[in-house]
Amino acid sequence: MEIIFLGTSSAVHSYDRSHPAIVLKAFGEVMLFDCGEATQKQLIFAKVSPMKISKIFITHYHGDHILGLPGLLQSMNFRGRETPLTIYGPKGLLKLKDAIYNLGFCKIDFHIEFIEIDDGTLIETEEYIIKARKVRHNVINMAYSIEEIKKPRFLREKAIELGVPVGPLFGKLHKGFEVEVNGKIIKPEQVLGEERKGIKVTYSGDTTPCEELIDFARDSDILIHESTYKNEDKDKAEQNFHSTAQDAAKVAKESNSKKLILTHISTRYTDCEELLNEAKDVFESTELAHDLKVITI
């Protein structure tokens, strides 16, 4: 699993930070979370083909999180994309769709499915679950979690001991199906070990610190949390429904997350080390995101 930060600024670009966008490469897919301006250019620098993006998840509709989307979609079309694309976002996504399709001369020939979402499970496969949860911003904002489904360990020797021949029946048992061997039924629980927890990644979008996010991010391996302000500007964070770096650290600590990544940094700060230090005072396992930072899990 690989996380690539394409843009880590808030509101406006800085010299070295672009608008928010994050790539997740996992489960044989490329997924994009938010799509601010310059996302296309950053994909080039990150050596990620936009043609491989299968899903896009939008947290909310402030311009810094969506204004790269019209150009990205038109570029996909220009390059001859035929593979369908799915875009998820809170209520208002269909209005955004209409705006994109009516912006200039917009020609999109490949199929795009726009899905307006609410709290709950969005996608569940044999490999992963993606969920969404409303958190607290001054517009509707969805946080997202991606959790790996890890099958219990297959007890090979136990299966052989029970008479199961090495081969396809192993796979059926590992997937949870009973099998019959010489007239005897072998159940999955007889040959499977303890449940194993897969990797969980949670992305906050824009939010003020809240119980909803603490609950949603519970036991995350990686919590990506906005940290727009320093402590000295906490009043601005509260007025604008954003978080300080220390707010993000408290959410990480209270949610029992293993690692916190700070992003969505205000351009008012040229020295971001102070943001990092303020967070580390509360939650030591904290890193500061920068454009094109890559995290491999």
Side-chain angles (χ1 to χ4, degrees), residues 157-175:
E157 297 305 317
K158 179 66 174 177
I160 293 172
E161 183 183 313
L162 291 170
V164 182
V166 176
L169 295 185
F170 277 17
K172 289 190 70 173
L173 285 163
H174 202 187
K175 290 179 179 178

Side-chain angles (χ1 to χ4, degrees), residues 34-36 56-71 73-74 87-103 106 108 112 114-116 144:
D34 284 331
C35 189
I56 298 176
F57 299 87
I58 303 298
T59 58
H60 65 293
Y61 303 120
H62 280 151
D64 56 329
H65 291 255
I66 61 168
L67 289 178
L69 190 57
L73 298 180
Q74 291 196 37
I87 301 177
Y88 300 84
K91 186 175 180 181
L93 184 64
L94 298 183
K95 289 184 179 179
L96 177 62
K97 171 189 174 181
D98 291 341
I100 290 172
Y101 278 75
N102 287 286
L103 180 63
C106 179
I108 297 177
I112 305 175
F114 291 80
I115 300 178
E116 289 191 343
Y144 292 100

Side-chain angles (χ1 to χ4, degrees), residues 31-46:
M31 306 179 201
L32 180 66
F33 292 81
D34 284 331
C35 189
E37 283 184 76
T39 294
Q40 290 191 73
K41 193 69 172 284
Q42 296 296 83
L43 285 167
I44 294 170
F45 289 134

Side-chain angles (χ1 to χ4, degrees), residues 106-216:
C106 179
K107 181 177 173 59
I108 297 177
D109 294 320
F110 65 96
H111 178 69
I112 305 175
E113 186 174 9
F114 291 80
I115 300 178
E116 289 191 343
I117 63 170
D118 207 332
D119 291 353
T121 299
L122 309 180
I123 304 167
E124 185 167 359
T125 74
E126 289 188 355
E127 296 183 282
Y128 64 87
I129 298 174
I130 298 181
K131 296 179 181 179
R133 180 74 177 270
K134 281 194 286 291
V135 290
R136 299 185 195 177
H137 194 38
N138 52 12
V139 298
I140 296 174
N141 178 90
M142 308 303 294
Y144 292 100
S145 71
I146 306 93
E147 189 165 3
E148 176 190 23
I149 298 174
K150 207 157 190 177
K151 295 185 179 72
R153 195 175 306 280
F154 184 73
L155 306 177
R156 188 175 188 276
E157 297 305 317
K158 179 66 174 177
I160 293 172
E161 183 183 313
L162 291 170
V164 182
V166 176
L169 295 185
F170 277 17
K172 289 190 70 173
L173 285 163
H174 202 187
K175 290 179 179 178
F177 296 101
E178 295 180 352
V179 301
E180 184 175 346
V181 179
N182 298 324
K184 182 173 65 173
I185 298 297
I186 308 297
K187 296 184 177 181
E189 54 265 32
Q190 293 177 266
V191 294
L192 297 180
E194 294 181 359
E195 292 289 332
R196 296 189 293 166
K197 183 182 180 300
I199 292 166
K200 179 179 178 180
V201 176
T202 303
Y203 171 43
S204 72
D206 286 8
T207 184
T208 193
C210 59
E211 290 297 326
E212 292 92 332
L213 184 56
I214 291 169
D215 178 64
F216 188 62

